[in-house]
Amino acid sequence: RNINFVMLGGISEKFVYDNFKIEKPSNLTLLGLLPHNETLDAIAACSLLVVTSHREGLPTLVLEAMALRKPIVIPDEDGCMDATDGEQHA
């Protein structure tokens, strides 16, 4: 089964190569920075949201994904744990 991944934000093919010394996998689409409405469209279209940022105080992305009833995977960081009621939803 082929699984496709989409990354939003400031990640580029050059960033992937420079930091991981690999070519961008063919099943990974990098969309870059998007306007808010397009970000919401991307969340709505996904099967699962994985949050990789460790820098967010209160991650709006997590709240928006929850409002769209998407399953999420979050880092064990205060803001994300607060937004999801910690291990209540683990």
Side-chain angles (χ1 to χ4, degrees):
R1 174 174 131 166
N2 188 21
I3 299 175
N4 295 306
F5 298 88
V6 176
M7 288 185 85
L8 306 178
I11 304 296
S12 65
E13 287 189 45
K14 180 180 180 339
F15 179 90
V16 172
Y17 185 79
D18 289 349
N19 288 273
F20 303 106
K21 303 300 182 228
I22 61 171
E23 298 295 325
K24 181 189 74 65
S26 62
N27 65 335
L28 173 61
T29 301
L30 303 173
L31 294 181
L33 297 172
L34 297 177
H36 185 249
N37 64 318
E38 291 181 30
T39 299
L40 290 177
D41 289 343
I43 296 170
C46 75
S47 300
L48 169 76
L49 179 77
V50 178
V51 178
T52 59
S53 175
H54 293 272
R55 296 179 289 171
E56 309 231 9
L58 179 59
T60 305
L61 177 64
V62 170
L63 299 174
E64 290 170 335
M66 290 171 62
L68 291 167
R69 305 177 98 27
K70 295 299 176 174
I72 56 173
V73 176
I74 58 170
D76 186 7
E77 296 291 329
D78 290 340
C80 289
M81 296 304 278
D82 291 341
T84 60
D85 200 17
E87 295 182 11
Q88 176 79 17
H89 300 288

